[in-house]
Amino acid sequence: MAVRAVRGATQAAADQREPIMEAVGELVTEMLAANDIDPADVISMILTSTPDLVSVYPATAARLAGMEDVPLLSATEVAVPGTMPRVVRVMAHVESPRPRADIVHVYLRGTEGLRAAATAPQ
């Protein structure tokens, strides 16, 4: 079985514990469901948040979404002026039989344009 990276992003309604926990929990659940991934097949997960989210570690929400024994890392994104606020991004490393081209990356709560913006010419 191959190791694949699954990406995703979401936007929290506010910099408060509950909105962040809800948004991240939803994102992690959707990422696994969209790719038919069993939590036991998650190798590790990197969660980043924009500098305006400081109320809770995104990894705390991932733990409560079933990632109890998965190595998790929370980090802060680069503070680029004019970027979308209150965003949490996730990159999960998983074991999957799917070809790389068939991996579904999940963008929720207004972040759908982030992947396209990241690959657009500057």
Side-chain angles (χ1 to χ4, degrees), residues 97-121:
R98 288 184 180 211
R100 186 184 317 202
D102 292 345
I103 295 294
V104 178
H105 303 287
V106 178
Y107 293 83
L108 305 174
R109 299 181 181 215
T111 64
E112 294 80 3
L114 290 178
R115 186 170 171 94
T119 59

Side-chain angles (χ1 to χ4, degrees), residues 41-117:
D41 293 329
V42 178
I43 298 166
S44 65
M45 195 175 277
I46 300 169
L47 301 99
T48 66
S49 56
T50 51
D52 55 352
L53 292 178
V54 297
S55 296
V56 66
Y57 290 110
T60 301
R63 288 243 182 272
L64 294 177
M67 303 294 103
E68 294 95 6
D69 63 347
V70 174
L72 304 173
L73 175 67
S74 291
T76 304
E77 288 279 342
V78 175
V80 176
T83 57
M84 184 180 292
R86 301 178 318 279
V87 172
V88 175
R89 292 173 175 85
V90 175
M91 182 165 57
H93 303 99
V94 303
E95 292 180 335
S96 175
R98 288 184 180 211
R100 186 184 317 202
D102 292 345
I103 295 294
V104 178
H105 303 287
V106 178
Y107 293 83
L108 305 174
R109 299 181 181 215
T111 64
E112 294 80 3
L114 290 178
R115 186 170 171 94

